[in-house]
Amino acid sequence: QVQFLESGGGLVQSGGSLRLSCVASGFTFSRYAISWYRQAPGKERELVAGISTTGENLKYEDSVKGRFTISRENGKNTVYLQMNSLKPEDTAVYYCNNGFTRPISTAYWGQGTQVTVSS
């Protein structure tokens, strides 16, 4: 069964940093692009960043460009999201899923990890 386990969230002051991790299982990890999404209260889930199978191709939502960095370790079935210069508007629950432009395993969202940025 496909599973995504997100971790690394927390409470941080504006300007701070966090590193999120996503461990995936139940599919051949190295054959899929992986993306991070976030959902703030009262808003729809949105794509934050995506990484191709080899890490050669990256994409970022405009508001996080230059502040967030996505990376992956295929040997560990893990994708990371390094978040720097955090802003209060980054507050959300962060999720990962396979797919590059849209999530593939939509029936298997994980619990997510809460990121709260105080001003």
Side-chain angles (χ1 to χ4, degrees):
Q1 183 174 339
V2 174
Q3 287 188 328
F4 299 98
L5 181 61
E6 302 92 350
S7 63
L11 173 63
V12 64
Q13 289 188 335
S14 181
S17 298
L18 286 172
R19 189 194 195 202
L20 306 184
S21 298
C22 163
V23 179
S25 60
F27 62 96
T28 306
F29 183 82
S30 62
R31 294 183 180 178
Y32 286 84
I34 304 291
S35 295
W36 281 97
Y37 300 81
R38 66 186 178 187
Q39 187 167 20
K43 295 187 177 181
E44 292 187 355
R45 193 163 353 207
E46 65 173 354
L47 176 68
V48 176
I51 186 167
S52 62
T53 55
T54 62
E56 184 173 343
N57 294 315
L58 308 175
K59 67 182 299 181
Y60 296 96
E61 193 268 329
D62 285 346
S63 70
V64 308
K65 286 180 180 177
R67 300 188 298 122
F68 291 10
T69 303
I70 188 170
S71 61
R72 66 188 293 163
E73 285 191 74
N74 285 345
K76 295 183 178 181
N77 282 18
T78 302
V79 172
Y80 305 98
L81 186 68
Q82 177 67 43
M83 306 187 297
N84 298 327
S85 302
L86 282 162
K87 304 175 180 180
E89 51 264 44
D90 295 318
T91 295
V93 179
Y94 284 70
Y95 305 87
C96 59
N97 205 294
N98 46 15
F100 196 63
T101 56
R102 58 179 181 267
I104 295 174
S105 298
T106 55
Y108 300 100
W109 290 103
Q111 293 297 308
T113 186
Q114 175 72 49
V115 172
T116 303
V117 185
S118 63
S119 57

